[in-house]
Amino acid sequence: MIARRLFLQGLSATAITAGLAPEISAQEAASQAETEAARQIAPSADSSPLRVGIIGPGSRGKELVRNLLRVPGVRIVAAADVYPPRFDQLNQVCGYTVPSHTDYRALLDRKDLDAIVVATPLGLHASHVIPALQSGRHVYGEKTMAYTVDQARDIAAAAKVSNRIYQVGHQYRYSPWIRAAIARVKAGEIGNVTHILGYWNRNNDWRRPVPTADPSGHLERLINWRLYHEWSLGLIAELGSHHMDIANWIFGSAPTTALASGSICCYHDGRETDDNVQVVLSYPAGRRFIFTSMTDNAKQGDQLWLYGTKGSLNVTLEDATFFYEPRQIVKAPTNGKGEEKGVTTSASYRPEGEMPYRGPGKPLTIANPEDATTIAIRAFVHCVRTNTQPIANADVGLGSALGVIHANQALREKKEVAIPLIST
Ligand SMILES: NC(=O)c1ccc[n+]([C@@H]2O[C@H](COP(=O)([O-])OP(=O)(O)OC[C@H]3O[C@@H](n4cnc5c(N)ncnc54)[C@H](O)[C@@H]3O)[C@@H](O)[C@H]2O)c1
């Protein structure tokens, strides 16, 4: 299977056609994918018992647990973490004492587990997800799928061989307003989308407090792992991976090349990963995704702009707004007496200037704007119970990981890098 051609509405046509008659058309496959996606996203009446363990109940892990506990029938039965204070925090979330292990292998040895959530730092994902799948458990593994291309490929292979569900933490694939907006974009509402711009800006130093004395610096690197190369691919992975996933989804492809720059311009505190990054990913037919992130000004916040030939779409974590604009008819500017003033190109003199289009936006209204993570977790449980391929499957994870990993390579090598076709 070729990863670049996947990502059709969140479920690849290839995945959907896998067990079906070979003559099924791409359109039929896409429509079946949508029907299956709707089934995964909807709440289910099934409350059969599901015993879940978690490796890495840190900040994100506890949020995933909160959401798991909202699904009838789910119980958290074990946790593994190398930092013991996490266990008390987890018990508070669960409201009972969860059996705990400081070595994840002890968790894998348990006989009372059906599924495992992996929410450890990025550099450790493969070393936890792969053994978890090999132990016969279904896995919800946080994004970014893996730290290297080989690791991502190994996770995809382990998921395939194990015949278990592997869902990656790209929860925006499940977001109702993003799904509704993208369906309209795919139906042609803003024309041919050639460029997507993603901003994810914050005004804070991205640091977490280290609560106790730490003479060796070990705790600093464990708690603030995002700031060090050992386990982190920086802002591109932590924030950009979500936007790259949405770009892959819209363009229906994984990227083909990556360019990137970045620097530490604000926080000279010993960190290794950049505090601002700029990435350009190319897609087939000359299309582009541009991601920028800075951590000393939050004006633009987290938002995506999709630019099409008939309009634009703005997507945030809370809403989506369409803007429609007429295609500009290029006329030679005149001096008011009917005389042309120069050749009409964007470089020539124009009295009115190239102002931004300021037509009114049309917000997308959605009946039930449920939290994306809540839906993604509920959908994972549904997939486990029904043995169904998840929307955010290994191909989805691989597509975004390819962008993240190669953009980091481009950043390091200070040159454009080609992104190879990857088979899963
Ligand atoms: N999908 C999303 O929107 C989203 C949001 C936040 C974080 N994340 C992802 O979740 C993952 C975790 O992020 P976080 O913010 O929760 O980090 P965190 O540091 O708060 O939590 C990670 C936990 O893993 C534990 N850990 C480290 N090494 C371990 C090991 N060898 N064995 C067992 N446990 C170990 C740490 O002690 C910590 O408790 C990252 O991959 C991150 O990108 C995803």
Side-chain angles (χ1 to χ4, degrees):
M1 232 190 304
I2 303 298
R4 193 167 291 159
R5 298 210 201 96
L6 303 179
F7 321 114
L8 192 73
Q9 299 284 355
L11 273 175
S12 75
T14 323
I16 288 297
T17 50
L20 303 174
E23 63 273 15
I24 189 167
S25 73
Q27 211 176 2
E28 281 171 299
S31 135
Q32 287 182 18
E34 256 324 299
T35 308
E36 174 49 37
R39 220 175 273 140
Q40 289 185 24
I41 282 167
S44 154
D46 191 344
S47 62
S48 45
L50 189 76
R51 302 161 302 176
V52 181
I54 174 157
I55 307 178
S59 163
R60 182 63 179 170
K62 289 195 290 286
E63 179 60 12
L64 298 176
V65 164
R66 270 182 214 104
N67 282 291
L68 278 160
L69 293 173
R70 291 186 181 123
V71 186
V74 173
R75 186 165 174 89
I76 307 299
V77 297
D81 202 300
V82 291
Y83 184 51
R86 297 293 184 222
F87 299 130
D88 270 352
Q89 298 165 5
L90 178 68
N91 293 342
Q92 279 177 29
V93 170
C94 291
Y96 55 87
T97 301
V98 178
S100 59
H101 308 275
T102 48
D103 186 330
Y104 77 96
R105 288 168 295 192
L107 179 139
L108 296 185
D109 285 344
R110 296 179 68 97
K111 301 283 174 258
D112 58 353
L113 276 180
D114 304 307
I116 294 175
V117 169
V118 174
T120 47
L122 168 56
L124 300 171
H125 286 178
S127 61
H128 293 140
V129 169
I130 294 171
L133 285 165
Q134 287 170 341
S135 77
R137 277 51 173 257
H138 306 283
V139 174
Y140 186 99
E142 260 310 337
K143 64 83 206 164
T144 303
M145 186 184 194
Y147 187 77
T148 68
V149 173
D150 283 348
Q151 290 172 358
R153 208 188 332 228
D154 289 348
I155 290 177
K160 204 171 183 176
V161 171
S162 69
N163 227 1
R164 291 290 178 272
I165 303 302
Y166 167 69
Q167 184 171 322
V168 66
H170 281 303
Q171 70 271 11
Y172 298 113
R173 292 263 174 171
Y174 299 80
S175 164
W177 63 96
I178 298 180
R179 289 194 73 81
I182 290 180
R184 282 166 56 174
V185 169
K186 284 186 177 273
E189 191 156 328
I190 57 170
N192 181 25
V193 176
T194 56
H195 286 75
I196 302 173
L197 254 70
Y199 299 93
W200 203 324
N201 297 338
R202 290 174 170 170
N203 197 340
N204 67 57
D205 64 7
W206 219 28
R207 263 193 174 284
R208 292 178 177 174
V210 177
T212 51
D214 181 32
S216 70
H218 170 75
L219 264 188
E220 157 66 9
R221 293 180 86 88
L222 181 66
I223 289 171
N224 284 310
W225 61 269
R226 283 175 168 77
L227 307 181
Y228 301 97
H229 294 312
E230 185 182 4
W231 288 341
S232 173
L233 292 175
L235 290 164
I236 298 174
E238 292 309 309
L239 306 181
S241 62
H242 286 302
H243 285 197
M244 287 176 191
D245 176 44
I246 293 174
N248 290 347
W249 181 7
I250 292 160
F251 288 148
S253 164
T256 55
T257 68
L259 264 172
S261 68
S263 69
I264 298 176
C265 74
C266 260
Y267 305 112
H268 301 280
D269 55 3
R271 72 183 58 199
E272 295 167 357
T273 57
D274 290 334
D275 63 18
N276 70 100
V277 293
Q278 304 77 36
V279 176
V280 180
L281 297 182
S282 304
Y283 287 80
R287 293 166 299 169
R288 297 280 187 271
F289 166 66
I290 299 142
F291 175 72
T292 125
S293 180
M294 57 185 179
T295 48
D296 58 336
N297 183 304
K299 173 81 173 78
Q300 303 291 345
D302 170 16
Q303 56 173 314
L304 282 157
W305 279 94
L306 279 63
Y307 297 115
T309 45
K310 294 185 191 162
S312 312
L313 169 66
N314 180 234
V315 181
T316 75
L317 288 191
E318 292 175 5
D319 51 25
T321 311
F322 283 88
F323 297 84
Y324 307 96
E325 64 181 60
R327 202 169 179 92
Q328 287 177 348
I329 309 296
V330 177
K331 283 187 293 197
T334 65
N335 63 2
K337 298 178 200 156
E339 294 164 11
E340 281 191 10
K341 293 188 75 157
V343 179
T344 306
T345 70
S346 58
S348 64
Y349 168 74
R350 293 176 71 92
E352 73 275 25
E354 297 261 12
M355 290 296 288
Y357 174 69
R358 287 183 173 142
K362 199 167 171 215
L364 177 124
T365 43
I366 198 101
N368 179 16
E370 225 182 346
D371 176 71
T373 301
T374 302
I375 304 175
I377 285 292
R378 186 173 70 211
F380 171 67
V381 174
H382 166 91
C383 288
V384 167
R385 284 175 173 154
T386 57
N387 194 24
T388 315
Q389 260 300 297
I391 295 171
N393 62 14
D395 292 323
V396 165
L398 187 58
S400 161
L402 285 174
V404 166
I405 294 162
H406 289 92
N408 268 279
Q409 186 188 337
L411 191 64
R412 275 193 317 274
E413 296 177 3
K414 300 190 189 316
K415 63 173 195 197
E416 185 166 28
V417 299
I419 301 179
L421 281 172
I422 297 292
S423 301
T424 59

